Amino acid sequence: QVQLVESGGGLVQAGGSLRLSCAASGLFSSYVMGWFRQAPGKEREFVACISWSGSNSYYADSVKGRFTISRDNAKNTVYLQMNSLNPEDTAVYYCAARRGPIGIAPSDAYRYDFWGQGTQVTVSS
């Protein structure tokens, strides 16, 4: 079984940066790992995902060029480096895991089988 625990959220000024971490247990190295977020009053949306090897990744258009997803399989951890944050990035960020292949509907939440508890990111203007 897979357990995901996010950390690293907090309050940051617009233009600032945060790095989220997701510690995983279970079959981590075989899973596609993703980040989703849910802002108040909005549906959960895809942010980014990365293949088990780290060779392939996908990003939502809204974060492309600002966010970078990475993983360190030796530490069973996936990261989301968030730069140039703006208030529209304010949301609860969730780590998620799914079976591959990553190229098949990478942004579809229903394909992700395991979810963390979420970590709050608040960006002040």
Side-chain angles (χ1 to χ4, degrees):
Q1 191 57 260
V2 175
Q3 182 177 356
L4 309 175
V5 181
E6 302 99 329
S7 62
L11 176 64
V12 65
Q13 294 185 123
S17 299
L18 284 174
R19 188 182 73 163
L20 306 183
S21 298
C22 174
S25 61
L27 301 176
F28 180 81
S29 64
S30 299
Y31 280 76
V32 173
M33 302 298 299
W35 287 96
F36 290 75
R37 66 187 183 185
Q38 187 167 20
K42 298 182 67 176
E43 296 296 317
R44 188 169 299 184
E45 66 173 343
F46 171 78
V47 176
C49 64
I50 188 168
S51 63
W52 72 269
S53 68
S55 297
N56 299 96
S57 59
Y58 292 84
Y59 296 90
D61 289 341
S62 59
V63 307
K64 194 173 299 181
R66 300 188 299 123
F67 292 10
T68 302
I69 189 170
S70 62
R71 66 193 297 168
D72 184 342
N73 289 343
K75 296 182 177 180
N76 292 329
T77 302
V78 62
Y79 304 95
L80 185 68
Q81 178 66 48
M82 306 185 295
N83 299 325
S84 301
L85 286 162
N86 58 62
E88 288 68 47
D89 296 315
T90 295
V92 176
Y93 283 70
Y94 297 90
C95 179
R98 56 162 280 190
R99 297 288 191 182
I102 190 173
I104 304 299
S107 65
D108 285 356
Y110 82 91
R111 292 186 178 271
Y112 290 80
D113 300 309
F114 305 100
W115 297 82
Q117 82 288 349
T119 185
Q120 177 70 48
V121 171
T122 302
V123 184
S124 61
S125 60

